[in-house]
């Protein structure tokens, strides 16, 4: 009698059965709706940094010179919740990383992450540093040795400040990749990913109580439950829903709401917990709809371009954008200024994707593939 490996439920939709039966090497259909959500999340973060953060609402702040809630009260009210875009990124990252790693080797996983993360990041460091030279006054520029260390993307592990404050999220991403690499090395299956979610969730829950710094560093309790939610959603997408996956997602939602509250209390200070939870819950429901195939008919090609702008936009918008606003704030209506700055950074993000990322990806992939091939033959 034949069995299907890692099939958690017999009540799979027909399309899900076809997905499971397809060869692992076959490219899976692109989920266009996720590209759209990624761009919305990036724009939420950008608007928040420009007109919704605690920093820009202080009297005499270096960006606007006065509380932004006085000049744009309505915009500020909504932009105050834009920081949730970061948590949305984490959930999407869990989903996409699990999807892109299925059937891949650790070497392929490593190469894919390097060529995806570093080219735009290196440009972001150079661009942001140059903007701080040209437009001083809003932010202090780091020492040269700290700027150089930023090119490794490991500066947070060395206690060195980020060239741009938004880079703190990359430290969370890197720790997620290192943990998930262990599962990738053993071969991804439904069972292994479920166990990984449970073990990581337990570690993230216990780490703050245990006050064990190494466990806290590895478990990343601030971001773990958002990544876990993304992993559970991908398992729903690939294998179909079941009670266990809903339980993991429900636990991630409950633990995630606590992290949202902590971030409001400790960092953001400008938004309410209830509003944050509404936004986060609506987003998770949208991701459930995507995972269960409700958006499969969405095939708008422009969403691919929109998704490609997300990472460069996130990397370059904050420090450079607020420095630019600080120089131009008295030259035009503040709403128009914010719109023009965001529009300009979207155009620049397209340039980074086409002129920087694409050529660099080809060069890096070819070089890394050659290096690993040489390493493999040398070992033999």
């Amino acid at each position: 009698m034949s069995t299907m490996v890692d099939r958690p439920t017999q009540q799979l939709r027909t399309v899900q059965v076809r997905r499971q039966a397809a060869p692992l090497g076959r490219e899976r259909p692109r989920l266009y709706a996720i590209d759209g959500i990624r761009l919305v999340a990036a724009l939420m973060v950008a608007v928040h940094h420009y007109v919704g953060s605690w920093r820009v609402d202080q009297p005499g702040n270096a960006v606007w010179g006065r509380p932004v809630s006085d000049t744009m009260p309505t915009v500020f009210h909504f932009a105050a919740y834009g920081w949730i875009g970061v948590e949305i990124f984490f959930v999407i990252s869990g989903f996409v990383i699990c999807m892109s790693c299925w059937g891949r080797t650790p070497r392929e996983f490593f190469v894919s992450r390097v060529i995806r993360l570093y080219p735009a990041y290196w440009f972001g460091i150079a661009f942001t540093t140059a903007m701080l030279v040209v437009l001083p006054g809003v932010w202090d520029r780091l020492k040269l040795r700290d700027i150089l260390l930023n090119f490794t993307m490991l500066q947070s592990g060395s206690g060195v400040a980020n060239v741009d404050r938004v880079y703190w999220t990359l430290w969370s991403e890197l720790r997620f990749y290192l943990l998930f690499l262990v599962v990738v090395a053993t071969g991804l299956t439904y069972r292994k990913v479920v166990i990984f979610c449970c073990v990581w969730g337990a570690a993230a829950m216990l780490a703050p109580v245990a006050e064990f710094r190494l466990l806290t560093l590895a478990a990343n309790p601030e971001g773990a439950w958002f990544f876990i939610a993304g992993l559970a959603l991908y398992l729903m997408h690939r294998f179909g829903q079941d009670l266990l996956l809903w339980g993991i997602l429900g636990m991630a939602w409950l633990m995630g709401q606590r992290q949202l509250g902590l971030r409001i209390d400790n960092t953001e200070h400008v938004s309410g917990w209830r509003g944050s939870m509404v936004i986060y819950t609506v987003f998770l429901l949208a991701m459930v709809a995507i995972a269960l195939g409700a958006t499969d008919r969405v095939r708008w090609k422009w969403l691919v371009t929109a998704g490609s702008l997300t990472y460069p936009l996130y990397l370059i918008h904050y420090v450079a954008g607020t420095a630019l606003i600080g120089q131009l704030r008295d030259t035009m209506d503040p709403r128009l200024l914010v719109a023009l700055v965001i529009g300009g950074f979207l155009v620049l993000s397209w340039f980074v994707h086409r002129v920087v990322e694409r050529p660099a990806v080809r060069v890096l992939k070819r070089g890394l593939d050659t290096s690993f091939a040489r390493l493999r033959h040398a070992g033999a």
Side-chain angles (χ1 to χ4, degrees):
M1 182 176 64
S2 62
T3 59
M4 180 177 289
V5 178
D6 287 318
R7 183 176 178 179
T9 178
Q10 298 296 319
Q11 288 76 34
L12 299 180
R13 295 181 293 114
T14 302
V15 64
Q16 291 168 326
V17 173
R18 287 200 299 267
R19 287 170 180 160
Q20 175 63 13
L24 291 177
R26 182 179 176 183
E27 186 175 355
R28 304 173 68 77
R30 187 181 186 96
L31 297 174
Y32 291 82
I34 287 184
D35 289 314
I37 292 179
R38 288 171 59 199
L39 182 63
V40 170
L43 292 174
M44 287 172 59
V45 173
V47 173
H48 171 72
H49 284 151
Y50 294 159
V51 293
S53 70
W54 179 84
R55 174 183 171 85
V56 298
D57 198 41
Q58 298 306 299
N61 69 84
V63 180
W64 292 102
R66 55 195 180 278
V68 73
S69 60
D70 292 345
T71 56
M72 294 180 281
T74 302
V75 176
F76 174 79
H77 176 74
F78 289 101
Y81 291 90
W83 57 269
I84 304 173
V86 170
E87 282 67 25
I88 293 174
F89 281 138
F90 287 162
V91 176
I92 293 175
S93 181
F95 187 104
V96 172
I97 292 301
C98 193
M99 176 172 62
S100 62
C101 290
W102 211 276
R104 286 190 173 186
T105 65
R107 176 186 63 82
E108 292 170 331
F109 174 62
F110 174 80
V111 171
S112 70
R113 291 302 88 203
V114 169
I115 65 178
R116 176 70 181 96
L117 293 180
Y118 276 97
Y121 174 71
W122 288 333
F123 175 88
I125 293 173
F127 172 76
T128 299
T129 301
M131 288 291 287
L132 291 182
V133 172
V134 176
L135 302 174
V138 175
W139 300 95
D140 295 328
R141 196 166 73 252
L142 298 183
K143 296 178 181 179
L144 178 58
R145 62 173 179 260
D146 293 338
I147 295 173
L148 292 175
L149 186 61
N150 267 250
F151 281 93
T152 67
M153 206 182 286
L154 304 176
Q155 64 273 10
S156 295
S158 302
V160 171
N162 296 303
V163 168
D164 191 311
R165 292 189 179 186
V166 300
Y167 296 168
W168 71 267
T169 61
L170 299 177
W171 183 235
S172 288
E173 293 276 354
L174 287 177
R175 286 179 284 168
F176 166 49
Y177 298 159
L178 287 174
L179 290 176
F180 201 60
L181 180 61
V182 177
V183 190
V184 173
T186 65
L188 291 182
T189 65
Y190 169 85
R191 183 180 298 107
K192 290 176 182 177
V193 177
V194 166
I195 292 174
F196 173 76
C197 290
C198 295
V199 172
W200 189 15
M205 177 184 64
L206 296 174
V209 180
E211 298 182 352
F212 183 22
R213 292 186 63 183
L214 182 59
L215 178 62
T216 302
L217 178 65
N220 185 18
E222 296 84 6
W225 289 103
F226 303 107
F227 292 115
I228 290 171
L231 294 172
L233 285 163
Y234 177 69
L235 292 180
M236 285 187 182
H237 172 68
R238 187 179 184 94
F239 295 100
Q241 58 181 311
D242 62 23
L243 185 58
L244 180 58
L245 294 180
W246 278 111
I248 294 174
L249 186 61
M251 182 66 73
W253 180 80
L254 290 170
M255 296 300 290
Q257 62 86 21
R258 179 180 183 275
Q259 292 302 324
L260 295 179
L262 290 175
R263 186 169 173 189
I264 291 170
D265 295 340
N266 299 330
T267 305
E268 301 304 333
H269 310 301
V270 290
S271 52
W273 173 84
R274 289 181 176 83
S276 302
M277 277 303 297
V278 169
I279 295 172
Y280 180 61
T281 302
V282 168
F283 159 72
L284 278 186
L285 291 175
M287 286 297 296
V288 168
I290 293 173
L292 298 183
T295 62
D296 284 354
R297 293 185 178 180
V298 175
R299 291 288 187 270
W300 304 328
K301 299 297 183 182
W302 64 268
L303 287 175
V304 178
T305 302
S308 68
L309 303 181
T310 302
Y311 184 53
L313 175 63
Y314 181 77
L315 292 174
I316 64 179
H317 81 276
Y318 183 29
V319 167
T322 48
L324 188 60
I325 289 173
Q327 293 291 322
L328 302 176
R329 65 193 184 199
D330 296 321
T331 61
M332 64 185 77
D333 181 87
R335 298 167 187 80
L336 177 61
L337 175 58
V338 170
L340 289 176
V341 169
I342 292 177
F345 276 107
L346 284 171
V347 173
L348 180 59
S349 298
W350 179 87
F351 172 86
V352 173
H353 173 65
R354 294 296 297 268
V355 179
V356 177
E357 283 190 303
R358 282 188 174 181
V361 162
R362 288 192 293 267
V363 172
L364 281 175
K365 188 177 188 308
R366 185 164 55 247
L368 288 171
D369 286 343
T370 301
S371 298
F372 277 110
R374 183 180 182 183
L375 185 63
R376 184 170 58 253
H377 294 319

